[in-house]
Amino acid sequence: MATAKYSRYEYNKTTSISRANVGDMVRAQEAFIKYWKGEVSKATLTTSLSGLVITALEKVFNKTAYSAIPGYLVSALTGANEWEKNEVLRVAQEGLEQINKLSLIFLENKTYVSIEFSVNYLAFKNLATGNTDFTIIQGNIIPRKIITDSGGSIPM
């Protein structure tokens, strides 16, 4: 019987993303999904993440060093059973749908420069170290406030 390497937990946080960085947030979540599904290699994932802004990586993975993220994912993916793999993929795909909704808000409203939102994360805690090795955005992104180019804010 294999010993569990990770425990999973969920948490909620309020954060914000700018118009300039939301596209990279989408690309980071898409890269994660492709890797988790086995469609791309660790090297391809690393290359995909290397061009993305730190802010977007931090929002999606709670990590800012793109070169460290694939190592954490390899470890977590190796330690997950089939049900866990499918469940993580499902919540990541829901998260991508939610991030795309944030993008749509920016596309439809050219004066919006930033969106503050609440988001649910799925986190993996390494049982050997006690560290949270990685997180991934899941569903339930709730916009809270919009910042406009004039400096005003609009509560949602």
Side-chain angles (χ1 to χ4, degrees), residues 27-156:
R27 286 187 282 286
Q29 192 88 349
E30 287 173 338
F32 169 84
I33 290 168
K34 285 180 182 175
Y35 177 75
W36 202 258
K37 288 168 76 174
E39 294 176 358
V40 298
S41 67
K42 179 181 173 185
T44 301
L45 174 64
T46 304
T47 301
S48 298
L49 298 178
S50 68
L52 304 181
V53 294
I54 289 171
T55 303
L57 295 176
E58 192 274 331
K59 302 294 185 234
V60 172
F61 298 109
N62 203 27
K63 300 275 182 222
T64 56
Y66 77 87
S67 58
I69 294 167
Y72 290 121
L73 298 182
V74 167
S75 180
L77 188 55
T78 302
N81 64 38
E82 202 60 33
W83 182 88
E84 290 172 319
K85 289 176 187 177
N86 290 334
E87 184 66 8
V88 170
L89 182 59
R90 183 187 65 76
V91 298
Q93 288 169 327
E94 287 177 4
L96 179 57
E97 290 172 16
Q98 295 290 308
I99 297 168
N100 281 328
K101 287 180 183 176
L102 288 179
S103 281
L104 191 58
I105 292 171
F106 283 121
L107 285 172
E108 292 175 346
N109 302 280
K110 302 295 184 201
T111 62
Y112 294 178
V113 295
S114 178
I115 300 174
E116 181 181 287
F117 58 95
S118 293
V119 61
N120 287 341
Y121 284 92
L122 177 64
F124 282 68
K125 185 173 191 171
N126 187 318
L127 295 174
T129 64
N131 296 330
T132 297
D133 278 356
F134 84 92
T135 63
I136 190 70
I137 286 180
Q138 56 183 15
N140 301 325
I141 291 178
I142 303 168
R144 298 287 182 200
K145 182 170 52 173
I146 304 289
I147 307 298
T148 65
D149 58 3
S150 65
S153 68
I154 304 166
M156 299 293 284

